[in-house]
Each structure stands twice: as C-alpha cells, then as structure tokens.
Amino acid sequence: MKEDSNVARRRFLKMAGLTATIGTSFEFAPQHSDLEDNISKSKYQHLNQSFEPVKVSADRVIRTVVGLRPYRPSGFVLKSEQLKNKTIIHNYGHGGAGVTLSWGTAKLAVDLALQLQRNSFAVLGCGAIGLSTARLLQRKGFQVTIYAKDLPPETTSNIAGALWFPTSVYDEKKVDSKFLNQFDEACKISYRMFQDYVGDNYGIWWIKFFTLGSSDYFPGGREFYREIIDHRDPKIYFGFDYAQQFSTMMIEPAIYLSALLRDFYLAGGKLRVKQFNSTSDITSLSESTIMNCTGLGSRTLFNDQELIPVKGQLSILLPQPEVNYGYEGEIGNGFVYMFPRKDGIVLGGTFEENNWSLEPSVQESERILKGHSIIAKSLGG
C-alpha cells in the first residue's frame, strides 16, 4: 500500500516537527505576502551574507530523477550464508543511508570474509556498498571481481542525495539490540572513513545543515555532528520558529563513485557486466566467496520479502556555487530537503513505500518546487 510522503517521513524519522511560521499552504503570494511584509531587508541581511537563497523556478530544473531505496523495517542484512558450495556474505537493505553507511557496513562484511581465509572474492553490485566492499578487500591484498548489471553513473547510488545523514534505515519498533549495535558501529566506521576522502578528488566536503522546525534530531547519534547551534529567530532563519544548525559531510555521487571505480581498476580489480536472475547464476561463479551488495535486487535473488522499495524523487536545479548550506523541514503538508552540489542544487522530499514506479510524479515535482520557493522567500529570494 502506497503511503503519503509526509506520513512515511514522520514514521521513518520520528520527528517532532513544529509548524513553520510561514504558513501551511503551498500557494504563492499573496497568501504569503505577510512574510514579505514582516521580514524587512535589514532583518535578514546578515543571514544573506552567509546564506544565499536558492533560485527556485521550473525553468531552472535541469533534470528530475527517481530512485528506489532498498528498505527493511528490521534494518539492513549483514550476515554469512552457505549456498551449495559458495559462501554468501550479505550486505544490503540500507534504506535511505546506503551511501552514508557504505564504508561501515562494508568493513563489517569484510571482517566476516576474513574469517574464511580465501584469496579471491566476487562482489555483486557496483554502487556505493559494492565499491566500498571491493576496495576494502583489495586493501587486504585480495583479488576482487565485481559483477553488476549497472555501473556508475547508472546505479541507484548515483541518484542518492548523499548527505552524510544515516536516516530512513529502520523502524525502531522492529529492531533488536544486536542490529542497533551493528548500526552504531557502522556509523562510527563510516563517519571516520569518509573524512579521509574529503576533497575535490572524491567530491566530498563539509557543509552547514539546518533541520527546520525540529530539535535534537541527529541520526546515528549526536557525536557525529559538529558546531551544533540552536536558532530561534524566525525572521532570520528560514521563516521557522526554530532551526537547528550543525556541520556534516556532503558527498557528490557522480564524482565519488567514479573515483572509487578508478581506484578499483588501479588496484587490479576486474569488472564483469552481468545480470543475475537466480541463485543458480550466482553459484555458477568461479569465486567461492561472494559478497552480496545487490540492494533491492536481493528481494528476488534471495527471496527477502521484507525488503521493499521506498520511492524517492529529486528535482535538480542549475548549480549555484554561492549556496553553501543545506536544510530539511516540513512545509505545510509535505517534507522537503535541499542539498547543494557541484552538479546542481538537489531538491527532494518524497518517501513512498512499496512504490515500484520509476516514473517522476508531476504532482510531487510541483509540491517540491513550491515548498522550496517558500523557504527561499524567507531568505529574500
């Protein structure tokens, strides 16, 4: 059953959202003319010195993309399984945090693999999880072959917003302490390892991020966020009664995934374009140890019926190098977020459970643009 995006978001994040002072409608002025009347140029001038408004308009949209997050209410799968004469090490089902958790769960999966004392490995999948797993195996001196149907830039990871923000990973009512310990460990490992890749070569940098109308929401734990500041002036901070600011990492998938694939090749890795339709296709591989990083594909390949898609849709605007911050918040009846990247300004806010469609929704596109337009107006845009 498809779920309303706002309901799904609240269930995923468990946010105690406050109402924006800019109103509950997505309609443009004159409905929100009171905002312009009440916020004088002098009031938000100092904010604009650091935070330029996003130029939100339909004619600035350069592409609209849809991706399916591989979500499991009880959390991602990280375990070893024997399948005929093969050892399968599963690492899939990361929800909305596949890029964020990639190094962490890859490290935990490789730790399982090291117990087997094998020399060569097959990795299924060439997204963030598969590439991270392959690179860690290579660092241990192993021969690695990646088998994948899709390669960058055509993977689900390429469509991700890719802020370091481990959200929408599990339903807190359906996880046990063992999983939560794995999740905590994966966050710690991934947070530290991504810092080693900060820079233009890998498309990773630190940004200021704002959660609008909510407080103390730090996925993974408060210890992963720096420079936490509370703001309570709605005339300055995006038109909300409350905004919480912190610093985290922005990851640009197009640059990052291409760089990992380059590193994989330079380390002697091999890649085979191959589609797997059944477990018999997998057991026919020459490698005896197989790292399963197929994401949503594991639903069919390994009959994991708990694994479901959560549709996400992004509208990408023309780049704005002067925009050096991001935000998320609820506007009216919908959730929105904005990430600045070199390839464009990412506008999102959809979380549709069990929706397998890869077709963009015109209604969602309009909702997203209207919501971000309202926030831009609070900055004088």
Side-chain angles (χ1 to χ4, degrees):
M1 178 178 180
K2 189 166 72 173
E3 201 171 15
D4 176 82
S5 62
N6 192 41
V7 174
R9 175 66 178 175
R10 287 177 173 174
R11 189 169 67 77
F12 280 155
L13 304 186
K14 308 301 181 184
M15 291 177 66
L18 301 177
T19 301
T21 62
I22 54 182
T24 60
S25 172
F26 283 110
E27 298 300 323
F28 290 104
Q31 284 83 351
H32 292 286
S33 60
D34 58 329
L35 176 68
E36 297 174 359
D37 293 339
N38 294 334
I39 304 178
S40 66
K41 293 291 183 182
S42 60
K43 282 292 185 181
Y44 55 71
Q45 183 177 5
H46 82 269
L47 177 63
N48 283 343
Q49 292 175 3
S50 299
F51 301 103
E52 292 292 330
V54 175
K55 300 174 183 177
V56 183
S57 65
D59 64 353
R60 290 182 58 82
V61 176
I62 55 178
R63 64 184 180 275
T64 300
V65 296
V66 171
L68 303 180
R69 306 173 181 93
Y71 176 69
R72 301 178 78 255
S74 63
F76 55 77
V77 175
L78 190 60
K79 67 178 183 180
S80 178
E81 176 186 4
Q82 205 67 29
L83 186 62
K84 293 186 178 179
N85 60 336
K86 307 293 183 181
T87 301
I88 313 293
I89 297 180
H90 295 290
N91 182 12
Y92 67 86
H94 301 83
V99 176
T100 296
L101 295 175
S102 56
W103 286 112
T105 60
K107 172 65 165 56
L108 297 176
V110 168
D111 286 346
L112 289 176
L114 293 179
Q115 301 173 17
L116 304 175
Q117 298 182 346
R118 309 280 171 74
N119 293 321
S120 64
F121 293 84
V123 174
L124 309 185
C126 200
I129 302 293
L131 285 170
S132 300
T133 302
R135 288 295 294 126
L136 289 180
L137 287 168
Q138 287 180 322
R139 290 183 188 180
K140 296 294 182 180
F142 299 119
Q143 296 177 343
V144 183
T145 300
I146 292 178
Y147 297 87
K149 178 184 70 172
D150 298 314
L151 311 179
E154 297 177 342
T155 70
T156 300
S157 296
N158 281 94
I159 301 174
L163 184 78
W164 199 96
F165 202 64
T167 188
S168 307
V169 181
Y170 60 88
D171 183 334
E172 63 182 11
K173 297 179 180 179
K174 297 185 179 180
V175 293
D176 55 24
S177 59
K178 179 181 178 181
F179 170 79
L180 290 176
N181 289 336
Q182 280 187 330
F183 175 72
D184 290 344
E185 186 66 15
C187 287
K188 291 176 184 177
I189 295 169
S190 207
Y191 180 72
R192 178 62 189 88
M193 292 190 70
F194 266 112
Q195 293 178 44
D196 291 337
Y197 289 87
V198 170
D200 291 341
N201 287 340
Y202 290 90
I204 301 174
W205 52 88
W206 291 90
I207 69 165
K208 292 181 175 64
F209 195 77
F210 294 83
T211 55
L212 309 178
S214 62
S215 62
D216 295 324
Y217 177 63
F218 301 104
R222 192 183 180 95
E223 66 269 27
F224 300 119
Y225 305 90
R226 296 293 179 267
E227 299 182 314
I228 300 172
I229 304 172
D230 293 337
H231 301 290
R232 297 186 181 277
D233 189 343
K235 295 181 179 180
I236 297 175
Y237 290 96
F238 305 96
F240 282 72
D241 287 329
Y242 178 86
Q244 193 161 56
Q245 173 186 328
F246 54 84
S247 294
T248 188
M249 287 174 280
M250 186 74 243
I251 303 151
E252 185 147 350
I255 300 173
Y256 175 67
L257 296 172
S258 294
L260 286 191
L261 188 56
R262 175 204 64 206
D263 292 349
F264 173 74
Y265 281 131
L266 290 175
K270 298 179 181 180
L271 193 150
R272 300 285 184 268
V273 177
K274 182 177 177 61
Q275 180 170 340
F276 296 92
N277 297 311
S278 65
T279 54
S280 61
D281 292 339
I282 296 173
T283 56
S284 67
L285 296 176
S286 60
E287 294 85 359
S288 58
T289 304
I290 298 164
M291 315 295 287
N292 173 35
C293 308
T294 57
L296 195 56
S298 294
R299 176 182 170 91
T300 299
L301 281 174
F302 296 97
N303 194 32
D304 187 343
Q305 297 303 303
E306 185 185 355
L307 183 64
I308 61 172
V310 175
K311 181 181 178 180
Q313 180 172 315
L314 303 176
S315 294
I316 314 297
L317 303 178
L318 285 167
Q320 279 185 256
E322 69 275 17
V323 175
N324 59 358
Y325 64 94
Y327 61 75
E328 68 164 18
E330 291 188 29
I331 299 290
N333 294 321
F335 174 80
V336 295
Y337 57 81
M338 185 278 290
F339 305 149
R341 298 195 322 213
K342 292 183 178 179
D343 66 336
I345 300 292
V346 177
L347 305 182
T350 64
F351 297 79
E352 298 180 63
E353 281 195 43
N354 257 329
N355 188 338
W356 289 87
S357 173
L358 291 172
E359 291 298 317
S361 163
V362 174
Q363 291 79 10
E364 282 300 298
S365 293
E366 292 175 349
R367 180 188 68 80
I368 289 170
L369 288 178
K370 287 180 180 180
H372 289 288
S373 294
I374 293 169
I375 291 177
K377 287 180 186 297
S378 76
L379 296 179

